[in-house]
Amino acid sequence: AQTVTQSQPEMSVQEAETVTLSCTYDTSESDYYLFWYKQPPSRQMILVIRQEAYKQQNATENRFSVNFQKAAKSFSLKISDSQLGDAAMYFCAYRSARLNDYKLSFGAGTTVTVRA
Amino acid sequence: SQTIHQWPATLVQPVGSPLSLECTVEGTSNPNLYWYRQAAGRGLQLLFYSVGIGQISSEVPQNLSASRPQDRQFILSSKKLLLSDSGFYLCAWLTRLRTEAFFGQGTRLTVV
């Protein structure tokens, strides 16, 4: 079974600074998808960024970027120029690319606080 | 466009009472559907998922059950709630055409 580990329960960042969230996962597969979701105080889950394992290039979405290290099974999220609206719980998630594997596994989450 | 509806938004139920949470998806067909539970300040625990009508896979043995009576409807139930069933319940859907899952707005359940 795939497991996703987020070792940082909480992170704090000064507004306009950069913060990096860590995520590691365990899998024996070679093709899969990785995601970062954001859960603000409203508790609505919002997709931040996704990465296909077969792509070597790291995904980027505006101020959000990932560092995908396939061999190390690491998938960190970097938030640049942090804004107050970035304050939320962030979840790393894994999904197999196998045709009949439908499970989406999540890490325990990291709570990000942004200091004004 | 696809949307997902989940209700009720909040629910307070006494111990031993039944539970029924409903989730429906619009704008897509044959989605994979999921129920997750999130304890306070914790991660998401996958409870059930379904790949089709009447097809339910259970991830965690517990006091809850799920059903999928229609293609785009997913129901989470319990005959008798326990205090430990309190939490935030999220419904999600995913299709073969999209890699990511989309979530409903969640139900905050408090068992008293």
Side-chain angles (χ1 to χ4, degrees), chain B residues 46-61:
Chain B
L46 178 61
L47 301 176
F48 301 94
Y49 68 95
S50 171
V51 301
I53 296 175
Q55 301 179 62
I56 308 295
S57 296
S58 174
E59 288 296 297
V60 181

Side-chain angles (χ1 to χ4, degrees), chain A residues 30-84:
Chain A
S30 60
D31 197 13
Y32 47 86
Y33 307 104
L34 296 165
F35 310 91
W36 279 99
Y37 280 87
K38 170 184 178 181
Q39 187 182 44
S42 68
R43 307 199 77 169
Q44 175 70 54
M45 292 286 283
I46 302 166
L47 178 69
V48 175
I49 199 165
R50 66 168 170 263
Q51 174 81 42
E52 290 85 354
Y54 65 86
K55 291 185 178 179
Q56 293 187 336
Q57 186 174 6
N58 289 323
T60 299
E61 287 287 341
N62 300 314
R63 297 181 295 106
F64 298 87
S65 61
V66 298
N67 183 5
F68 174 48
Q69 300 291 326
K70 191 172 184 178
K73 297 180 184 176
S74 171
F75 183 60
S76 62
L77 175 70
K78 184 171 77 172
I79 307 175
S80 303
D81 185 26
S82 296
Q83 302 176 1
L84 295 177

Side-chain angles (χ1 to χ4, degrees), chain B residues 67-87:
Chain B
S67 61
R68 185 168 176 177
Q70 301 179 39
D71 180 46
R72 287 170 285 181
Q73 184 184 31
F74 204 25
I75 298 172
L76 183 68
S77 304
S78 174
K79 292 182 179 179
K80 290 185 178 181
L81 283 169
L82 306 172
L83 287 174
S84 58
D85 291 324
S86 293

